[in-house]
Structures are given as C-alpha cells and as structure tokens.
Amino acid sequence: MPDSSPQAFVAPKPAMRLTSICVIIPTFRRPQGLETAMRSIRAQTDTSDLSLSLIVCDNSPEASARSQVEGFIASFPVTYIHEPKTGVANARNSAVSACFGRFGADFIAFLDDDEDAPTGWLNRLMVVQRQFDADVVFGPVTARIPDETRFNRAYYAHFFSRFGPAQSEILPHYYGCGNALLKTAALTSITPFSTLQNEMGGEDDILFTAMKREGRRMAWAADAPVFEDVPPARATLAYTLKRGFAYGQGPSHSSAANGRYLACAVWMAQGLVQAGLFGIASLILFTIRHPRRAFVLDKAARGLGKTLWFPPFMMKFYGQILLKKDKKTKI
C-alpha cells in the first residue's frame, strides 16, 4: 500500500550571499604592466564564494588605456574609468567612488599597474580578513629586477619589495596601497584619499594613519604576495634615493596632516640623527666599495626626508611631473 503519512515540509535553504570584492588598478601610460595586472586578476582561483569586479582608472589625460581595458574579456564585470585630472589621489578616489556607486562592494582590493598577482591571491587576502576580522589587510611584494641591472641588485630587490612577519597576524602599523584589501564599511568617505598628495604620493599614509587612530584593525597576509616588475629607469640610485627621501617624509607629513604635531617633531628629530649617522657611514662604505653601501645611504636619505618633509622639499612623482617627463622624452 502507498505510504499516506504526511511528509515533513523542508524549507529550501536560502542562497548564500556572495562576498563582493572590487579590484582597483590605477594606471598611467603603462600598457604592458596593465595587461599583466588585468590578466592576473582574470586568472584568480578559489573565488567561488566571491562576487568579483574590476575597475581600471586611467589617469592619462588622453585616455590612452580605454581601448585596452574595454577590449579585455573576463567572466566578471570590467569597468573603465577615466580621470583626466592627473594625480595619484584623484585616480584612487575616482575608482573608489565608482566602486561604491556601481557595485556597492563589501571589499576593495588595490593592485598597481606594475604588479602581478599569483592565482589564489584574493582568496588568501580574504581568508586573513575573516580570520582577524580586519578592516585592512596587507600582503608582501616581491620585486623583479631587470636582468641588465648589474650593480646593487640586492639593494634594488629589497627597496622595491615589501616585507613583513613570517606568519599572518595583526599589525601594529600599516603599509601602502599596492597589494591591500580594505573593508568598505571602514571608510568614512567615497573619496578617502587626500588630494593634497596628488603629486608627491603618501595619500595612503594619511588615510591609514587616520584609520589607525580610529581603532581600525590591520592585518598581514603572509601567503598573499604579488610581484612588482621594476623598469630599468627605476633600478638606479638616482631614482631610489629620491624615493627613499620621499618615504622618509611620509611619517612626519602624515603626522602633521592628522594634527599630531608632537609626533611630527619626534620624527623630525629622529630623522636628523639618522641622516647624520648613516650619512657618515655611507661615505666610508662607498670609499671601500662595501656591498651594503647603497643600503646605508638609503637609510640616510630616509632620515633626511623625515626632517625635511615640508615645502619646498616635498618630492613629486605623480601628476604633472609625469606629464613633463613624458614631454621631455618625446622631444
């Protein structure tokens, strides 16, 4: 006889909400690097629990990357944004604003247009974010130095790389935007980067300094590295020492920008001592051609930057300075 007993009703399980993550790549006239960066996002694995999107913000006035990005085919939405007003903060702000407006993403991941993310990168960032309930997650950066660079290779590889703890953990400090994951709910503005930093950089220093003051939790994802391809023009002491000087300016400038004037004064005093001690040491090491001479000179440059962080000493690497360099190259 057929079973006529009532069957228990089993409600269907609600569909699991996917975590939405928007990858942002700011770019400025770097088509080869941009192609590598975009392809690395397309190749990401272990993303079945993620709703992925990509925004490329082109900061060149002539919109040079438009056709490249609009012709890029991927299984997730790829959006081209043109920000004609040059400046690193302008580019990042336009992309973040578009991310909020178009996708309402839970998280934003930043990748530079000279970086290459291995498969599984996004998944590993998210694993660490969930493990520590972090507002910001940073990962390592490993520099790839041009084969033709003969001198100071170890120094350049160290300079352009980012190092951190051997294990994933909560951080007492912060790093830069390249290879970083941010929880959008932790941002208080859809344009969070200071446009005062458009030409000198350090817009991420000011943002993350403010977030630390707000008590935001920052973490390190030791197993989520990216690779940075260093062009020959940057693998020179002329470039790295200027950049090191600018990095030194970062803590002093960001402290002053966030109203922490006593901390700024401490950084300046520390930088003065650092510049003097390492400056003298570097002269000796260069005289005897010691293999660590460039490392020591770099520390002297960073110390000097901590002390001389204000105009007219502020270094400029973005915005109008890039346009001027390109113009000189064409001439």
Side-chain angles (χ1 to χ4, degrees), residues 6-42:
Q7 299 294 316
F9 173 74
V10 179
K13 292 182 178 180
M16 182 181 69
R17 180 184 178 276
L18 298 179
T19 300
S20 56
I21 179 168
C22 179
V23 179
I24 289 176
I25 304 176
T27 190
F28 184 93
R29 297 176 182 171
R30 197 178 281 169
Q32 292 182 338
L34 175 60
E35 188 70 20
T36 297
M38 291 194 298
R39 288 183 178 182
S40 73
I41 300 304
R42 186 171 60 189

Side-chain angles (χ1 to χ4, degrees), residues 63-116:
S64 60
R66 182 184 297 276
S67 60
Q68 180 181 3
V69 177
E70 292 181 346
F72 186 74
I73 299 174
S75 60
F76 47 82
V78 178
T79 302
Y80 173 84
I81 299 293
H82 181 219
E83 175 48 74
K85 296 180 181 178
T86 56
V88 61
N90 285 339
R92 293 197 192 281
N93 281 338
S94 292
V96 170
S97 180
C99 180
F100 271 95
R102 302 190 183 199
F103 302 109
D106 300 311
F107 294 91
I108 294 173
F110 281 100
L111 188 71
D112 291 341
D113 65 353
D114 56 1
E115 293 179 334
D116 181 5

Side-chain angles (χ1 to χ4, degrees), residues 44 76 166 240 281 317:
Q44 290 299 299
F76 47 82
T240 58
F317 296 95

